[in-house]
């Protein structure tokens, strides 16, 4: 009999700090996508130097009713021969599917950030209030990660 388990990804920075990133909950050995928070890359498609990238995002907020104020963005850091830049993408289907072009002349390490925000109107003690649910998830395609999110290194380059 398979027991329930939780797989958690943790980024550990060179200075010893760490952050929890994505997690997957399993019930009876089966991935519970409704109670997990993770992303998954599809197959890379090559067209000369450009890679077409598929990315699916599974959010712990997917079980909430759909709010008009829900916003999800994917920001990818692109490296070129002697420079770098970031580009932000919106999902192409619902809230959870991204397709983008990626050019990298260095190491083909795709890295970026998924940002999700939901605003919920509520009433507390007769007053109109707003709850803000927000999360940021680091994204990269290396396993194990080469930890491209060490901001100190980015600033020193």
């Amino acid at each position: 009999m398979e027991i329930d388990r939780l797989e958690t990804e943790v980024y550990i920075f060179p200075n010893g700090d760490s952050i929890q990133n994505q997690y997957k909950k399993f019930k009876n050995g089966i991935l519970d996508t409704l109670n997990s928070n993770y992303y998954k890359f599809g197959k890379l498609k090559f067209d000369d130097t450009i890679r077409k990238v598929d990315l699916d995002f599974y959010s712990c907020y997917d079980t909430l009713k759909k709010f008009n104020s829900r916003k999800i963005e994917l920001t990818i850091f692109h490296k070129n021969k002697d420079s770098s830049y970031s580009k932000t993408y919106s999902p192409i289907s619902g809230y959870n599917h991204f397709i983008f072009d990626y050019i990298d002349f260095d190491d083909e390490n795709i890295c970026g950030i998924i940002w999700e925000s939901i605003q919920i109107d509520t009433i507390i003690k007769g007053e109109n209030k707003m709850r803000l649910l927000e999360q940021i998830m680091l994204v990269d395609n290396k396993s194990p990660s080469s930890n491209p999110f060490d901001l100190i290194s980015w600033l020193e380059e």
Side-chain angles (χ1 to χ4, degrees):
M1 178 177 175
E2 179 88 23
I3 59 172
D4 295 348
R5 73 180 195 278
L6 175 67
E7 292 180 1
T8 303
E9 176 185 66
V10 176
Y11 279 95
I12 301 173
F13 295 93
N15 68 1
D17 287 344
S18 62
I19 58 170
Q20 177 184 339
N21 198 43
Q22 54 184 335
Y23 60 87
K24 297 177 183 176
K25 289 185 179 182
F26 292 84
K27 291 185 180 177
N28 296 320
I30 298 171
L31 177 61
D32 180 359
T33 58
L34 296 178
N35 289 299
S36 296
N37 200 46
Y38 68 101
Y39 62 87
K40 181 174 72 173
F41 281 100
K43 293 185 178 183
L44 292 177
K45 297 176 184 169
F46 295 93
D47 182 14
D48 293 326
T49 60
I50 299 174
R51 281 103 176 119
K52 293 265 187 213
V53 181
D54 269 321
L55 184 136
D56 289 311
F57 172 58
Y58 299 87
S59 171
C60 57
Y61 299 136
D62 286 342
T63 57
L64 298 176
K65 70 177 192 169
K66 302 300 180 196
F67 294 96
N68 292 335
S69 64
R70 186 176 185 191
K71 185 174 183 178
I72 298 176
E73 294 178 340
L74 169 67
T75 299
I76 296 294
F77 303 108
H78 297 267
K79 293 179 270 182
N80 206 329
K81 293 177 184 174
D82 61 350
S83 64
S84 61
Y85 63 95
S86 65
K87 187 170 180 183
T88 299
Y89 304 90
S90 297
I92 63 161
S93 163
Y95 295 108
N96 304 85
H97 188 75
F98 297 88
I99 295 179
F100 57 94
D101 292 338
Y102 182 74
I103 301 174
D104 186 331
F105 293 94
D106 186 18
D107 61 2
E108 295 185 12
N109 187 12
I110 300 170
C111 61
I113 297 170
I114 294 174
W115 172 76
E116 179 178 27
S117 173
I118 301 172
Q119 295 177 0
I120 303 171
D121 292 329
T122 188
I123 298 174
I124 299 175
K125 296 182 181 178
E127 292 185 44
N128 290 332
K129 302 281 183 174
M130 182 186 345
R131 289 181 55 208
L132 177 64
L133 304 174
E134 187 173 50
Q135 71 169 330
I136 295 173
M137 184 180 298
L138 304 176
V139 173
D140 76 283
N141 67 332
K142 297 288 184 176
S143 182
S145 176
S146 59
N147 204 347
F149 305 103
D150 185 349
L151 298 180
I152 295 167
S153 295
W154 278 77
L155 294 173
E156 290 175 352
E157 289 181 357

